[in-house]
Amino acid sequence: MLSIGLVSTGQESYYLDLAREDYYTESGEPEGQWLGGAVPEFGLTGPVRKHQLSRLLQGFAPTGAPLVRNAGSASRRAGLDLTFSAPKSVSVLWSQARSEATRRAIQEAHAAAVAAAVQYLESEASFVRFGVDGVHRQGARLVVATFEHSSARLAGADDAAPDPHLHTHALVVNAGVTEDGSTATLDSREFYRHKMSAGVLYRAELFRQIQQRLGLAAARGERFCELVDIPTALTKEFSKRRLAIESYLEERGISGAHHSDSAALKTRTVKPKVDREAFFKEWQRVGAEHGLVVDEEFLQKAARSTQAKVCRPPEQLLEDAATSAIRRVTEQHSHFARRDLVRAVAEELEDKALGAAAALQVVDRVLESPEVRRVGEALGEPRFSTEEMLRMERAMLREAAGLTRRLDSVQPRTLVSVLRARPTITEEQRDALHHLTERSALAVVRGLAGTGKTYLLEAAREAWEIEGRTVYGVALAATAAKRLQEGSGIKSETLHRLLWRLEGGELELSANSVVVVDEAAMVGTRQLAALVRTVSAAGGKLVLVGDDRQLQAIEAGAPFASLAKRFGAAELNDIRRQRREWARDAVVEFSRGEAHRALRRYRERGLVHVAETRREAIQKLARDFEAAVQASGFAETAALTGTRAEAKKLNREIQMRRRARGELGDRLLLGEEAFHVGDRVLFRKNSRRLGILNGDRGEVVRVSGSSVTVRFDSGDRVSFSAHEHELVAPHLGYASTTHAMQGATVERCLVLCGGSMEDREAAYVQASRAREETRLYVDRASAGEEFADMIRSMERSRAKSLAADLEDGAGLGSTAGGQELVRA
């Protein structure tokens, strides 16, 4: 893996003091080595020397000539520490090697992989800026000092040695050399953007080098590739440092590469004096207890096993990697950057022993193929898409344009009748109703959360049905379809089921059909394109209702936002859900990415609670949840967080507190989770036979033997046996993810903020669920100084856009085309 940290002037002593020329015969780490295209420029040969590195980090050439404007400044950012860490199985292999030749081979493989990754970053991510405000950018060659280290910083109390941890600190001097020989400060942002790609290239090259040098093969596990011949139990034994970092992250409820890098810095201790020979003795003693001895016999056996495996020809592997990678990068995004494709290809090839150069060749081949097209530029980098994706988007837009050219109006007297029956309808709702019923066969309504979209649809349904139309309602989630049906009277189902019924011939649309899609902004391009095509062919009417400022489609594209922008939409902005004006204003501010203003409103009213740790924030929320339930009841109280893992912690904390108060009764274990009479339940799968929808909630009212009875919030009951629990996936239902609550309305909402899933869209949904009160809970680490980190997360947008929008220059705002590919 690759982590990135900052280097301050003077910090080079740490790396230099650990290095020794005679580290093979004496204590210490190897001397530093130079990398980078600018090394010859400064006459740097041999090992890294202190006076050379010190001057470079201060912004001077080894000769003393200044390289940057602020050379010698104490506040100057000296450089970046790119830390390349070998996979744990490689570190374990190295620690168990009985011969110096084997150790050298592994270290050389690691060094070659580091060099390949640094070369990639120098080629793709190394830029300097010139001119006023740095508007001009130019590629630059680098000076990099690399220091190989052998162990983790953290040692257990009873350990004679820390964990084996082969890694290299690549110190990038913050001064790049351009083609004409001039020098300037680096634009470090690009290194962070290419971090994941460079890290996977390093691993792919490392496994290639090890297989070529020693014959050991790698295989993909649940999360990462590891060497197949290293016992898993031993890698866990030597993972105390990783466990410390994961414990830190879990305690604070955070995840992701950025937080892992931060946790690595905050949890590290002073590294003990390095004595590699003493470490090897202790490591190998532990390895022998696990039955691992890496000697010549072990290596020969592993090599024979690798050779015996049937493998497709390299060219076929490269072709398969290209196909799989392009499919992966377009599953959730309509367009991508080259670095996204680099990462995907390298991940596909990581266990194939083909290496970094082969991965980059595949990337170039894919980008040069006629099936991939450059569609524009965003955030300073080209964006690409596939011809297949563009054809689908273009076809959808053409079909949609055809719908807009076909008038589809109800009679004026019908509207008069409908409006007369609704004296409380607002002016903007009245305008939106005219838009839905008096315009084209495609109508789009874009409304803020809580503006009465469902009430509007109830009025529109009545108008359509008066004139003999058949109205079908759909939503992505079954519970969203249920809310649509209950609120508007439109018979509704999931979009997936409607498309399945249309494809199978069970349902046929006609010119008299009106299809209403609720929460339409969450529908990806592939599904919406299929629906647009079907409605157009039938001559029917399509109505899209949603809010592209809320959570985005999981699948590729943002067709709702594009259609609204291209063909117009009725706007609903008068929020009616929140009872207090300040809360309505805060919802609008969150939707605009103005979290700094919205949070100030909450803080002024004592509704933001900052705990020292993530655990304490969860405990505080659980305590307050009790009072909220007493005021509004379970069905009208929601506890939200970004991830299922944290929802699980909240659920268990609330359940534990209820048990301690004696509020829960008999117990039944369903899978890994215990349910008591009185517990809240959330179902995560649909079962037509049992009458359960994904997202349904209720209360356990009876446990009898191996069966349980749940009373839904609607009053209906369902019973099922323990062996049927996998059909409906019951979970404790006190707390849930933000994603699961989009579209829902409650009286009170308690939100655990922060974490990797927090962004502008999530914050907007979280703040807009409750009528009466929303409370926010966060730990100090996630909040940051004066809430700076919390605000930054809540103002960061992950809005998506169509590739066609980017190509046409019709991007939706500053974030269009600039989103990062976010993976779980």
Side-chain angles (χ1 to χ4, degrees), residues 568-585:
E571 297 279 347
L572 296 178
N573 297 307
D574 183 12
I575 297 175
R576 311 185 67 78
R577 180 178 293 159
Q578 284 71 41
R579 296 191 176 105
R580 293 170 178 79
E581 183 178 0
W582 76 263
R584 296 193 291 270
D585 291 340

Side-chain angles (χ1 to χ4, degrees), residues 324-346:
S324 297
I326 200 67
R327 183 181 66 249
R328 284 175 55 193
V329 296
T330 56
E331 278 178 353
Q332 296 185 2
H333 296 271
S334 294
H335 48 87
F336 55 90
R338 186 177 189 272
R339 58 188 164 86
D340 300 318
L341 187 59
V342 169
R343 178 182 178 182
V345 170

Side-chain angles (χ1 to χ4, degrees), residues 473-692:
V474 295
L476 268 187
T479 49
K482 183 179 180 181
R483 285 194 295 265
L484 174 62
Q485 181 166 314
E486 292 173 347
S488 68
I490 301 172
K491 188 175 181 181
S492 303
E493 59 190 321
T494 65
L495 176 55
H496 175 81
R497 176 162 175 76
L498 178 80
L499 291 172
W500 177 80
R501 292 205 296 142
L502 289 169
E503 185 179 347
E506 181 182 327
L507 174 66
E508 188 172 342
L509 301 180
S510 69
N512 222 26
S513 301
V514 180
V515 179
V516 177
V517 183
D518 196 20
E519 301 286 352
M522 298 187 73
V523 180
T525 302
R526 291 178 175 88
Q527 283 188 306
L528 193 58
L531 186 60
V532 170
R533 183 170 59 249
T534 304
V535 173
S536 176
K541 183 182 182 78
L542 180 61
V543 175
L544 305 177
V545 181
D547 183 2
D548 53 287
R549 292 153 291 197
Q550 295 190 47
L551 298 175
Q552 300 293 290
I554 294 175
E555 293 185 359
F560 174 84
S562 181
L563 294 175
K565 184 176 181 68
R566 289 171 181 267
F567 304 120
E571 297 279 347
L572 296 178
N573 297 307
D574 183 12
I575 297 175
R576 311 185 67 78
R577 180 178 293 159
Q578 284 71 41
R579 296 191 176 105
R580 293 170 178 79
E581 183 178 0
W582 76 263
R584 296 193 291 270
D585 291 340
V587 169
V588 173
E589 287 163 350
F590 274 124
S591 76
R592 293 174 178 168
E594 299 170 354
H596 58 291
R597 291 193 175 94
L599 278 178
R600 188 182 305 124
R601 298 181 188 275
Y602 280 87
R603 291 171 62 191
E604 288 170 351
R605 292 161 177 83
L607 297 174
V608 181
H609 306 275
V610 182
E612 286 302 316
T613 67
R614 195 70 169 176
R615 176 65 179 159
E616 291 174 4
I618 289 173
Q619 291 172 336
K620 171 63 174 170
L621 190 156
R623 289 195 297 271
D624 291 354
F625 186 82
E626 176 187 350
V629 168
Q630 289 176 351
S632 302
F634 280 113
E636 289 293 336
T637 305
L640 301 184
T641 187
T643 65
R644 286 189 175 184
E646 284 202 326
K648 187 174 184 179
K649 291 178 185 177
L650 274 171
N651 277 317
R652 288 183 172 174
E653 183 70 26
I654 294 170
Q655 183 193 54
M656 180 189 69
R657 296 180 64 81
R658 295 196 69 205
R659 284 182 62 195
R661 295 194 299 270
E663 297 176 2
L664 302 180
D666 293 340
R667 173 181 180 272
L668 179 65
L669 190 66
L670 299 177
E672 298 179 353
E673 203 148 29
F675 294 86
H676 299 254
V677 171
D679 265 330
R680 291 286 290 173
V681 180
L682 166 66
F683 295 99
R684 287 198 181 141
K685 286 185 180 179
N686 300 316
S687 173
R688 299 189 70 190
R689 180 174 64 81
L690 293 173
I692 294 175

